Amino acid sequence: MQNVTSFLWQRPGWPGVSWSSAVHEPLRAAGELRKLLQAKVQGLDDEHRARVEAELYTRETVSTSAIEGVQIDAAAARSSVIRRLHLGHAADRDWQVTDQTRGLIDILADSTRNPGELTEQRLKDWHQALFPTGKIGLRPVLAGEYRSDAMEIVSSKGTGAYTK
């Protein structure tokens, strides 16, 4: 594998992105399953729909954070989800989650509750939400802007420079 010489946003044609035909069928199938699930959720009363939504957001928050190597207490994440999305009474554990986790929850809510075009500004706003302090630990981050240097991907199999 070669190191990436340019980022996606630096390539000709950005922000227009074309996908390989290999992803069309899996995406179509996922869309059909999504429609089926949405129909089932519509049959629930408001209380049960809120519980399902809170659980889905909680699982997504915990698993997305795990990809970045951050372990989040599921009960604390659930409390924050319920409070931030006004889904009912939450246990008072919201204080146990970071600003970055709250930002992730806000992004999940925006991306699912406001299905609109993914504009450059929306993408940058999401990035800003993930790094509200402009730092990762003590290291500064150019929040809400494109990266200007190589990124490192953290996974359960270790870390490595981003490659194509």
Side-chain angles (χ1 to χ4, degrees):
M1 289 188 177
Q2 287 180 309
N3 283 338
V4 169
T5 56
S6 66
F7 296 95
L8 180 62
W9 56 269
Q10 293 174 317
R11 295 185 182 187
W14 173 262
V17 177
S18 62
W19 300 97
S20 162
S21 60
V23 299
H24 288 260
E25 180 54 29
L27 286 175
R28 188 205 60 74
E32 291 299 317
L33 287 173
R34 182 173 188 246
K35 288 178 189 175
L36 178 65
L37 287 172
Q38 284 175 323
K40 288 183 177 191
V41 168
Q42 292 306 316
L44 298 174
D45 60 44
D46 289 342
E47 179 184 345
H48 286 93
R49 190 174 314 133
R51 285 183 188 178
V52 168
E53 190 175 14
E55 185 59 28
L56 290 173
Y57 279 89
T58 299
R59 287 181 183 193
E60 187 65 25
T61 299
V62 171
S63 63
T64 298
S65 297
I67 291 169
E68 296 297 326
V70 176
Q71 300 302 311
I72 296 176
D73 177 72
R78 185 174 295 104
S79 176
S80 188
V81 164
I82 291 169
R83 179 171 281 111
R84 294 185 82 69
L85 303 182
H86 310 289
L87 295 174
H89 179 71
D92 190 20
R93 295 187 67 180
D94 189 46
W95 61 271
Q96 292 178 306
V97 298
T98 65
D99 289 339
Q100 290 84 0
T101 300
R102 289 183 192 95
L104 175 58
I105 293 166
D106 291 342
I107 292 167
L108 290 171
D110 181 62
S111 66
T112 57
R113 290 181 168 185
N114 304 311
E117 184 180 351
L118 179 57
T119 63
E120 181 176 6
Q121 187 58 55
R122 190 176 187 192
L123 185 62
K124 288 181 174 183
D125 289 345
W126 288 353
H127 191 255
Q128 179 69 49
L130 287 177
F131 303 102
T133 64
K135 293 183 177 188
I136 298 176
L138 297 176
R139 194 179 80 212
V141 173
L142 189 58
E145 296 297 330
Y146 294 120
R147 294 179 188 269
S148 60
D149 57 355
M151 70 183 252
E152 200 168 290
I153 297 177
V154 178
S155 74
S156 61
K157 295 181 180 178
T159 63
Y162 177 72
T163 57
K164 63 176 176 178

